[in-house]
Coordinates of all heavy atoms in Angstrom, one line a residue:
M1 N 92.9 53.2 95.3 CA 91.5 53.6 95.5 C 91.0 53.3 96.9 O 91.3 52.3 97.5 CB 90.7 52.7 94.5 CG 91.0 52.8 93.0 SD 90.4 54.4 92.4 CE 89.1 53.7 91.3
S2 N 90.2 54.3 97.4 CA 89.7 54.1 98.7 C 88.3 54.6 98.9 O 87.9 55.4 98.0 CB 90.6 54.8 99.8 OG 90.7 56.2 99.4
K3 N 87.6 54.2 99.8 CA 86.2 54.6 100.0 C 86.3 56.1 100.5 O 86.9 56.3 101.5 CB 85.5 53.7 100.9 CG 84.9 52.5 100.3 CD 83.4 52.4 100.6 CE 82.8 51.1 100.1 NZ 82.7 51.2 98.6
R4 N 85.5 56.9 99.9 CA 85.4 58.3 100.3 C 84.0 58.8 100.4 O 83.1 58.1 99.9 CB 86.1 59.2 99.3 CG 87.2 58.7 98.5 CD 88.6 59.1 99.0 NE 88.7 60.5 99.5 CZ 89.4 60.8 100.5 NH1 90.1 59.9 101.1 NH2 89.4 62.0 100.9
K5 N 83.8 59.9 101.0 CA 82.5 60.4 101.2 C 82.5 61.8 100.6 O 83.4 62.7 100.9 CB 82.2 60.6 102.7 CG 80.7 60.1 103.0 CD 80.6 60.1 104.5 CE 79.2 59.9 104.9 NZ 79.0 60.0 106.4
C6 N 81.5 62.1 99.7 CA 81.5 63.4 99.1 C 81.3 64.6 100.1 O 80.5 64.4 101.0 CB 80.3 63.4 98.1 SG 80.1 65.0 97.2
K7 N 82.1 65.5 99.9 CA 82.1 66.7 100.8 C 80.8 67.4 100.8 O 80.4 68.1 101.7 CB 83.3 67.6 100.5 CG 83.5 68.7 101.6 CD 84.8 69.3 101.4 CE 85.0 70.4 102.4 NZ 86.3 71.0 102.3
L8 N 80.1 67.4 99.6 CA 78.9 68.1 99.4 C 77.7 67.3 99.8 O 76.9 67.6 100.6 CB 78.8 68.7 98.0 CG 77.7 69.7 97.9 CD1 77.8 70.9 98.6 CD2 77.4 69.9 96.4
C9 N 77.4 66.2 99.0 CA 76.2 65.4 99.2 C 76.3 64.2 100.1 O 75.4 63.5 100.4 CB 75.7 65.0 97.8 SG 76.7 63.7 97.0
K10 N 77.5 64.0 100.6 CA 77.8 62.9 101.5 C 77.7 61.6 101.0 O 77.7 60.6 101.7 CB 77.0 63.0 102.8 CG 76.9 64.4 103.5 CD 78.2 64.8 104.0 CE 78.1 66.2 104.7 NZ 79.3 67.0 104.5
A11 N 77.5 61.5 99.7 CA 77.4 60.1 99.0 C 78.8 59.5 99.1 O 79.7 60.1 98.8 CB 76.9 60.3 97.6
P12 N 78.8 58.2 99.4 CA 80.0 57.4 99.3 C 80.4 57.2 97.9 O 79.6 57.0 97.0 CB 79.7 56.2 100.0 CG 78.3 56.0 99.9 CD 77.6 57.3 99.8
F13 N 81.7 57.3 97.6 CA 82.3 57.0 96.3 C 83.7 56.6 96.4 O 84.3 56.7 97.5 CB 82.2 58.3 95.4 CG 83.1 59.4 95.9 CD1 84.4 59.5 95.2 CD2 82.8 60.3 96.9 CE1 85.2 60.6 95.6 CE2 83.7 61.2 97.2 CZ 84.9 61.4 96.7
T14 N 84.2 55.9 95.4 CA 85.5 55.5 95.4 C 86.3 56.3 94.5 O 85.9 56.8 93.3 CB 85.7 54.0 94.9 OG1 85.0 53.8 93.8 CG2 85.2 53.1 96.0
G15 N 87.6 56.6 94.8 CA 88.4 57.5 94.0 C 89.7 57.7 94.6 O 90.0 57.2 95.6
R16 N 90.5 58.5 93.9 CA 91.9 58.8 94.5 C 91.7 59.5 95.8 O 90.7 60.2 96.0 CB 92.6 59.7 93.4 CG 92.9 59.0 92.1 CD 94.2 59.6 91.5 NE 94.2 61.1 91.6 CZ 93.7 62.0 90.9 NH1 93.0 61.6 89.8 NH2 93.7 63.2 91.1
S17 N 92.7 59.5 96.6 CA 92.6 60.0 98.0 C 92.5 61.5 98.0 O 92.0 62.2 98.9 CB 93.8 59.5 98.8 OG 95.0 60.0 98.2
D18 N 92.9 62.1 96.9 CA 92.8 63.6 96.9 C 91.5 64.1 96.4 O 91.2 65.3 96.4 CB 94.0 64.2 96.1 CG 93.9 63.8 94.6 OD1 93.4 62.7 94.3 OD2 94.5 64.5 93.7
K19 N 90.6 63.1 96.0 CA 89.3 63.5 95.6 C 88.4 63.7 96.7 O 88.3 62.9 97.6 CB 88.6 62.4 94.7 CG 88.6 62.8 93.1 CD 88.0 61.7 92.3 CE 86.6 62.1 92.1 NZ 85.9 61.1 91.1
I20 N 87.6 64.8 96.8 CA 86.7 65.0 97.9 C 85.3 65.1 97.5 O 84.3 65.2 98.3 CB 87.1 66.3 98.7 CG1 87.3 67.5 97.9 CG2 88.4 66.0 99.5 CD1 87.5 68.8 98.7
F21 N 85.0 65.1 96.2 CA 83.6 65.2 95.7 C 83.3 63.9 94.8 O 84.2 63.4 94.2 CB 83.4 66.4 94.8 CG 83.6 67.7 95.6 CD1 84.9 68.4 95.5 CD2 82.7 68.1 96.6 CE1 85.1 69.6 96.2 CE2 83.0 69.3 97.3 CZ 84.1 70.0 97.1
C22 N 82.1 63.5 94.8 CA 81.7 62.3 94.1 C 81.6 62.6 92.6 O 81.8 61.7 91.8 CB 80.3 61.8 94.7 SG 79.0 62.8 94.2
S23 N 81.4 63.8 92.2 CA 81.2 64.2 90.8 C 81.6 65.6 90.5 O 81.8 66.4 91.5 CB 79.7 64.0 90.4 OG 79.0 65.0 91.2
A24 N 81.8 65.9 89.3 CA 82.3 67.2 88.9 C 81.1 68.2 89.3 O 81.4 69.4 89.6 CB 82.5 67.3 87.4
Q25 N 79.9 67.7 89.2 CA 78.7 68.6 89.5 C 78.8 69.0 91.0 O 78.6 70.1 91.3 CB 77.4 67.8 89.2 CG 76.2 68.6 89.4 CD 76.2 69.9 88.5 OE1 76.4 69.8 87.3 NE2 76.1 71.1 89.0
C26 N 79.1 68.0 91.9 CA 79.2 68.4 93.3 C 80.3 69.4 93.5 O 80.2 70.2 94.3 CB 79.3 67.2 94.1 SG 77.8 66.3 94.6
K27 N 81.4 69.1 92.8 CA 82.6 70.0 93.0 C 82.2 71.5 92.6 O 82.5 72.4 93.4 CB 83.7 69.5 92.2 CG 85.0 70.3 92.4 CD 86.1 69.7 91.6 CE 87.5 70.4 91.8 NZ 88.5 70.0 90.9
A28 N 81.5 71.6 91.5 CA 81.1 72.9 91.0 C 80.0 73.5 91.9 O 80.1 74.7 92.2 CB 80.5 72.8 89.6
D29 N 79.1 72.7 92.3 CA 78.1 73.2 93.3 C 78.7 73.7 94.6 O 78.4 74.8 95.1 CB 77.0 72.2 93.7 CG 76.1 71.9 92.5 OD1 76.2 72.6 91.5 OD2 75.3 71.0 92.7
Y30 N 79.7 73.0 95.1 CA 80.3 73.4 96.4 C 81.1 74.7 96.2 O 80.9 75.6 97.0 CB 81.4 72.2 96.7 CG 82.1 72.6 97.9 CD1 81.5 72.3 99.2 CD2 83.4 73.1 97.9 CE1 82.2 72.6 100.4 CE2 84.2 73.4 99.1 CZ 83.5 73.2 100.3 OH 84.3 73.5 101.4
H31 N 81.8 74.9 95.0 CA 82.5 76.1 94.9 C 81.6 77.3 94.6 O 81.9 78.4 95.1 CB 83.6 75.9 93.7 CG 84.7 75.1 94.1 ND1 85.7 75.6 95.1 CD2 85.1 73.8 93.9 CE1 86.6 74.6 95.3 NE2 86.2 73.5 94.5
N32 N 80.5 77.0 93.9 CA 79.5 78.1 93.7 C 79.0 78.5 95.1 O 78.8 79.7 95.3 CB 78.4 77.6 92.9 CG 78.8 77.5 91.4 OD1 79.8 78.2 91.0 ND2 78.1 76.8 90.6
K33 N 78.6 77.5 95.9 CA 78.1 77.9 97.3 C 79.1 78.7 98.1 O 78.8 79.6 98.8 CB 77.7 76.6 98.0 CG 76.3 76.2 97.8 CD 75.9 75.0 98.5 CE 74.6 74.4 97.9 NZ 74.4 73.0 98.3
L34 N 80.4 78.2 98.0 CA 81.5 78.9 98.7 C 81.6 80.3 98.3 O 81.7 81.2 99.1 CB 82.7 78.2 98.5 CG 83.8 78.3 99.6 CD1 83.4 77.4 100.8 CD2 85.1 77.6 99.0
K35 N 81.5 80.5 97.0 CA 81.6 81.8 96.4 C 80.4 82.7 96.9 O 80.7 83.9 97.3 CB 81.6 81.7 94.9 CG 82.4 82.7 94.2 CD 82.5 82.5 92.8 CE 82.2 83.7 91.9 NZ 82.1 83.5 90.5
A36 N 79.3 82.2 96.9 CA 78.1 82.9 97.3 C 78.2 83.3 98.8 O 77.9 84.4 99.1 CB 76.9 82.1 97.1
A37 N 78.7 82.4 99.6 CA 78.9 82.7 101.0 C 80.0 83.7 101.2 O 79.8 84.7 102.1 CB 79.4 81.4 101.7
T38 N 81.0 83.7 100.4 CA 82.1 84.7 100.6 C 81.6 86.1 100.1 O 81.8 87.1 100.8 CB 83.3 84.4 99.7 OG1 83.7 83.0 100.0 CG2 84.5 85.2 99.8
L39 N 80.7 86.1 99.1 CA 80.2 87.4 98.6 C 79.3 88.0 99.7 O 79.3 89.2 100.0 CB 79.4 87.1 97.3 CG 80.2 87.1 96.0 CD1 79.3 86.8 94.9 CD2 80.9 88.5 95.8
K40 N 78.5 87.1 100.3 CA 77.6 87.5 101.4 C 78.3 88.1 102.5 O 78.0 89.2 103.1 CB 76.7 86.4 101.9 CG 75.4 86.8 102.3 CD 74.5 85.6 102.7 CE 73.5 86.1 103.6 NZ 73.1 85.1 104.6
A41 N 79.5 87.4 103.0 CA 80.2 87.9 104.1 C 80.9 89.2 103.7 O 81.0 90.1 104.6 CB 81.3 86.9 104.4
T42 N 81.4 89.4 102.6 CA 82.0 90.6 102.1 C 80.9 91.7 102.1 O 81.1 92.8 102.6 CB 82.5 90.5 100.7 OG1 83.4 89.4 100.6 CG2 83.3 91.8 100.3
F43 N 79.8 91.4 101.7 CA 78.7 92.4 101.7 C 78.3 92.9 103.1 O 78.2 94.1 103.3 CB 77.4 91.8 101.0 CG 76.3 92.7 101.0 CD1 76.1 93.8 100.1 CD2 75.2 92.5 101.9 CE1 75.1 94.6 100.1 CE2 74.1 93.3 101.9 CZ 74.0 94.4 101.0
N44 N 78.2 91.9 104.0 CA 78.0 92.3 105.4 C 79.1 93.1 106.0 O 78.8 94.0 106.8 CB 77.8 91.0 106.2 CG 76.5 90.4 106.0 OD1 75.5 91.0 105.6 ND2 76.4 89.1 106.2
T45 N 80.3 92.8 105.7 CA 81.4 93.5 106.2 C 81.3 95.0 105.7 O 81.6 95.9 106.5 CB 82.8 92.9 105.9 OG1 82.8 91.6 106.3 CG2 83.9 93.6 106.6
D46 N 81.1 95.2 104.4 CA 81.0 96.5 103.8 C 79.8 97.3 104.6 O 80.0 98.5 104.8 CB 80.6 96.3 102.4 CG 81.8 96.1 101.5 OD1 83.0 96.2 102.0 OD2 81.7 95.9 100.3
K47 N 78.8 96.6 104.8 CA 77.7 97.3 105.5 C 78.1 97.8 106.9 O 77.8 98.9 107.2 CB 76.5 96.3 105.7 CG 75.2 96.8 105.0 CD 74.2 95.7 104.9 CE 73.7 95.1 106.2 NZ 72.7 94.1 106.0
I48 N 78.9 96.9 107.6 CA 79.3 97.3 109.0 C 80.3 98.5 108.8 O 80.2 99.4 109.6 CB 80.0 96.1 109.7 CG1 78.8 95.0 110.0 CG2 80.6 96.6 111.0 CD1 79.3 93.7 110.4
L49 N 81.2 98.4 107.9 CA 82.2 99.4 107.7 C 81.5 100.7 107.3 O 81.9 101.8 107.8 CB 83.2 99.0 106.6 CG 84.3 98.1 107.1 CD1 85.1 97.7 105.9 CD2 85.1 98.5 108.2
H50 N 80.5 100.7 106.5 CA 79.8 101.8 106.2 C 79.1 102.4 107.3 O 79.1 103.7 107.6 CB 78.7 101.5 105.1 CG 78.1 102.7 104.5 ND1 78.6 103.4 103.5 CD2 77.0 103.3 104.8 CE1 77.8 104.4 103.3 NE2 76.8 104.4 104.0
R51 N 78.5 101.6 108.1 CA 77.8 102.1 109.3 C 78.8 102.7 110.3 O 78.5 103.8 110.9 CB 77.1 100.9 110.0 CG 76.3 101.3 111.2 CD 75.5 100.1 111.8 NE 75.1 100.5 113.1 CZ 74.1 101.3 113.4 NH1 73.5 101.9 112.4 NH2 73.9 101.6 114.6
N52 N 79.9 102.1 110.4 CA 81.0 102.6 111.3 C 81.4 104.0 110.9 O 81.5 104.9 111.7 CB 82.3 101.7 111.3 CG 82.2 100.6 112.3 OD1 81.2 100.4 113.0 ND2 83.2 99.8 112.3
R53 N 81.6 104.2 109.6 CA 81.9 105.6 109.1 C 80.8 106.5 109.3 O 81.1 107.7 109.7 CB 82.3 105.4 107.6 CG 83.7 105.6 107.3 CD 84.0 105.4 105.9 NE 84.6 104.1 105.6 CZ 84.1 103.3 104.6 NH1 83.2 103.7 103.8 NH2 84.7 102.1 104.6
S54 N 79.6 106.1 109.1 CA 78.5 107.0 109.4 C 78.5 107.5 110.9 O 78.2 108.7 111.2 CB 77.1 106.4 109.1 OG 77.2 105.9 107.7
I55 N 78.7 106.5 111.7 CA 78.7 106.8 113.2 C 79.8 107.7 113.5 O 79.6 108.7 114.2 CB 78.8 105.5 114.0 CG1 77.6 104.6 113.9 CG2 79.0 105.8 115.5 CD1 77.7 103.2 114.4
L56 N 81.0 107.5 113.0 CA 82.1 108.4 113.2 C 81.8 109.8 112.8 O 82.1 110.8 113.5 CB 83.4 107.8 112.5 CG 84.2 106.8 113.3 CD1 85.3 106.3 112.4 CD2 84.7 107.2 114.6
L57 N 81.3 109.8 111.6 CA 80.9 111.2 111.0 C 80.0 111.9 111.9 O 80.1 113.1 112.1 CB 80.4 111.0 109.6 CG 81.4 111.0 108.4 CD1 80.8 110.7 107.1 CD2 82.2 112.3 108.4
E58 N 79.0 111.1 112.3 CA 78.0 111.8 113.2 C 78.6 112.3 114.5 O 78.3 113.4 114.9 CB 76.9 110.6 113.4 CG 75.6 111.3 114.1 CD 74.7 110.1 114.6 OE1 74.7 109.0 113.9 OE2 74.1 110.3 115.6
V59 N 79.4 111.4 115.1 CA 80.0 111.8 116.4 C 81.0 113.0 116.2 O 81.0 114.0 117.0 CB 80.6 110.6 117.0 CG1 81.4 111.0 118.3 CG2 79.6 109.5 117.3
M60 N 81.8 112.8 115.1 CA 82.8 113.8 114.9 C 82.2 115.2 114.5 O 82.7 116.3 114.9 CB 83.8 113.5 113.8 CG 84.6 112.2 114.1 SD 85.7 112.2 115.5 CE 87.1 112.9 114.6
G61 N 81.1 115.2 113.8 CA 80.4 116.3 113.3 C 79.9 117.2 114.5 O 79.9 118.4 114.5
K62 N 79.5 116.5 115.6 CA 79.0 117.2 116.8 C 80.1 117.8 117.6 O 79.9 118.7 118.4 CB 78.2 116.2 117.7 CG 76.8 116.0 117.1 CD 76.1 115.1 118.1 CE 74.8 114.5 117.4 NZ 74.4 113.2 118.0
N63 N 81.3 117.2 117.4 CA 82.5 117.6 118.3 C 83.7 117.9 117.5 O 84.6 117.2 117.4 CB 82.9 116.6 119.3 CG 81.6 116.0 120.1 OD1 81.1 116.7 120.9 ND2 81.2 114.8 119.8
L64 N 83.5 119.0 116.6 CA 84.6 119.3 115.7 C 85.9 119.6 116.4 O 87.0 119.3 115.8 CB 84.2 120.4 114.8 CG 83.2 120.1 113.7 CD1 82.7 121.2 112.9 CD2 83.8 119.1 112.7
Q65 N 85.9 120.2 117.5 CA 87.1 120.5 118.2 C 87.7 119.3 118.9 O 88.9 119.2 119.0 CB 86.9 121.6 119.3 CG 86.5 122.9 118.7 CD 85.0 123.1 118.6 OE1 84.3 122.2 118.6 NE2 84.6 124.4 118.7
Q66 N 86.9 118.3 119.2 CA 87.3 117.2 119.9 C 88.0 116.1 119.1 O 87.3 115.6 118.1 CB 86.1 116.6 120.7 CG 86.4 115.6 121.8 CD 85.2 115.0 122.4 OE1 84.3 115.8 122.7 NE2 85.2 113.8 122.7
K67 N 89.2 115.8 119.2 CA 89.9 114.9 118.4 C 89.6 113.5 118.8 O 89.6 112.6 118.0 CB 91.4 115.1 118.4 CG 91.8 116.4 117.6 CD 92.0 116.2 116.2 CE 92.3 117.5 115.4 NZ 91.1 118.3 115.1
K68 N 89.4 113.3 120.1 CA 89.2 111.9 120.6 C 87.7 111.8 120.8 O 87.0 112.6 121.4 CB 89.9 111.7 121.9 CG 91.3 111.1 121.9 CD 91.7 110.7 123.2 CE 93.3 110.6 123.2 NZ 93.8 110.6 124.6
V69 N 87.2 110.6 120.3 CA 85.8 110.3 120.5 C 85.8 109.2 121.5 O 86.6 108.2 121.5 CB 85.2 109.8 119.2 CG1 83.8 109.4 119.4 CG2 85.3 110.8 118.1
D70 N 84.9 109.4 122.6 CA 85.0 108.4 123.6 C 84.3 107.1 123.2 O 83.3 107.1 122.5 CB 84.5 108.9 125.0 CG 83.1 108.8 125.1 OD1 82.3 109.6 124.6 OD2 82.6 107.9 125.8
R71 N 85.0 106.0 123.6 CA 84.6 104.7 123.2 C 83.2 104.3 123.5 O 82.5 103.7 122.7 CB 85.6 103.7 123.8 CG 85.8 102.5 123.0 CD 86.8 101.5 123.8 NE 86.5 100.2 123.3 CZ 87.2 99.6 122.4 NH1 88.3 100.2 121.9 NH2 86.9 98.4 122.0
D72 N 82.7 104.8 124.7 CA 81.5 104.4 125.2 C 80.3 105.0 124.2 O 79.3 104.2 123.9 CB 81.3 104.9 126.6 CG 81.8 104.0 127.6 OD1 82.4 103.0 127.2 OD2 81.8 104.4 128.7
S73 N 80.5 106.2 123.8 CA 79.4 106.7 123.0 C 79.3 106.0 121.6 O 78.3 106.0 121.0 CB 79.6 108.2 122.8 OG 80.7 108.5 122.2
L74 N 80.5 105.5 121.2 CA 80.5 104.7 119.9 C 79.9 103.4 120.2 O 79.0 102.9 119.4 CB 82.0 104.5 119.4 CG 82.7 105.7 118.9 CD1 84.1 105.4 118.5 CD2 81.8 106.3 117.7
A75 N 80.2 102.8 121.2 CA 79.6 101.5 121.7 C 78.1 101.5 121.7 O 77.4 100.7 121.3 CB 80.3 101.0 122.9
K76 N 77.6 102.7 122.3 CA 76.2 102.9 122.4 C 75.5 102.9 121.1 O 74.3 102.5 121.0 CB 75.9 104.2 123.2 CG 75.6 104.0 124.6 CD 75.3 105.3 125.3 CE 76.3 105.6 126.4 NZ 76.5 106.9 126.7
K77 N 76.2 103.3 120.1 CA 75.6 103.4 118.7 C 75.9 102.1 117.9 O 75.9 102.0 116.6 CB 76.2 104.6 118.0 CG 75.7 105.9 118.5 CD 76.4 107.0 117.7 CE 76.1 108.4 118.3 NZ 74.7 108.7 118.1
N78 N 76.3 101.0 118.6 CA 76.6 99.8 118.0 C 77.9 99.8 117.0 O 78.0 99.1 116.1 CB 75.5 99.2 117.2 CG 74.4 98.5 118.1 OD1 74.8 97.9 119.0 ND2 73.1 98.7 117.7
F79 N 78.8 100.7 117.4 CA 80.0 100.7 116.6 C 80.7 99.4 116.8 O 80.9 98.9 117.9 CB 80.9 101.9 117.1 CG 82.0 102.2 116.2 CD1 81.9 103.1 115.1 CD2 83.3 101.7 116.4 CE1 82.9 103.4 114.3 CE2 84.3 102.0 115.6 CZ 84.1 102.8 114.6
R80 N 81.2 98.8 115.7 CA 81.9 97.5 115.7 C 83.4 97.7 115.7 O 84.0 98.0 114.6 CB 81.4 96.7 114.6 CG 79.9 96.4 114.5 CD 79.5 95.4 115.6 NE 80.0 94.1 115.3 CZ 79.3 93.3 114.5 NH1 78.2 93.6 114.0 NH2 79.8 92.0 114.4
F81 N 84.0 97.8 116.8 CA 85.4 98.1 116.9 C 86.4 97.1 116.1 O 87.4 97.4 115.6 CB 85.9 98.2 118.4 CG 85.3 99.3 119.1 CD1 84.2 99.1 119.9 CD2 85.8 100.6 119.0 CE1 83.6 100.2 120.6 CE2 85.2 101.6 119.6 CZ 84.1 101.5 120.4
E82 N 85.8 95.8 116.1 CA 86.6 94.8 115.4 C 86.7 95.1 113.9 O 87.4 94.4 113.2 CB 86.2 93.4 115.7 CG 84.8 93.1 115.1 CD 83.6 93.4 116.1 OE1 83.7 94.5 116.8 OE2 82.6 92.8 116.1
Y83 N 85.9 96.0 113.4 CA 85.8 96.2 111.9 C 86.5 97.6 111.5 O 86.4 98.0 110.4 CB 84.4 96.2 111.4 CG 83.9 94.8 111.2 CD1 83.0 94.3 112.2 CD2 84.2 94.0 110.2 CE1 82.5 93.0 112.1 CE2 83.7 92.8 110.1 CZ 82.9 92.2 111.0 OH 82.3 91.0 111.0
M84 N 87.3 98.2 112.5 CA 88.0 99.4 112.2 C 89.0 99.2 111.0 O 89.7 98.2 111.0 CB 88.7 99.9 113.4 CG 87.9 100.6 114.3 SD 87.5 102.3 113.7 CE 88.9 103.2 114.4
T85 N 89.1 100.1 110.1 CA 90.0 100.1 109.0 C 90.8 101.3 109.1 O 90.4 102.4 109.5 CB 89.5 99.9 107.7 OG1 88.4 100.9 107.5 CG2 88.8 98.5 107.5
Ligands
LIG1 ZN1 78.4 64.5 95.8

């Protein structure tokens, strides 16, 4: 048994060294929050990917013959290169 600090509410508690929450409630709350945060992150990424696709369609639509789209014109439209799929 050792003194621990709850990962969620920071309350001190004693328990096995692998325990990181003071109670089952804190553990459940923590995982619920984590899940909500992950969902939010996924939602934002989807939004960016969708926006990227719209930008590409817009740019490609204007230049049907042109296979290469220049990077600057994408950047100007806030294209997020790190989210390419
Ligand atoms: Zn707690």
Side-chain angles (χ1 to χ4, degrees):
M1 298 287 249
S2 56
K3 277 233 181 295
R4 328 260 325 144
K5 223 174 168 187
C6 178
K7 195 169 176 176
L8 187 71
C9 70
K10 313 292 182 214
F13 68 97
T14 50
R16 295 206 323 271
S17 61
D18 59 336
K19 256 183 95 173
I20 51 174
F21 299 103
C22 68
S23 65
Q25 187 56 58
C26 272
K27 188 179 177 180
D29 284 356
Y30 179 82
H31 287 291
N32 284 338
K33 271 182 196 164
L34 207 70
K35 211 172 132 190
T38 308
L39 279 175
K40 208 175 160 217
T42 307
F43 178 74
N44 285 334
T45 306
D46 276 354
K47 234 165 65 180
I48 291 166
L49 285 175
H50 185 83
R51 183 175 162 74
N52 276 359
R53 247 175 264 131
S54 306
I55 293 170
L56 277 177
L57 274 175
E58 193 192 323
V59 174
M60 300 297 271
K62 280 181 196 154
N63 309 289
L64 283 174
Q65 292 93 336
Q66 199 181 315
K67 290 272 181 276
K68 268 190 199 163
V69 176
D70 87 281
R71 208 184 156 95
D72 282 353
S73 65
L74 290 178
K76 257 179 242 153
K77 292 176 186 292
N78 278 326
F79 192 86
R80 302 284 293 272
F81 294 98
E82 70 271 32
Y83 283 101
M84 277 286 269
T85 51

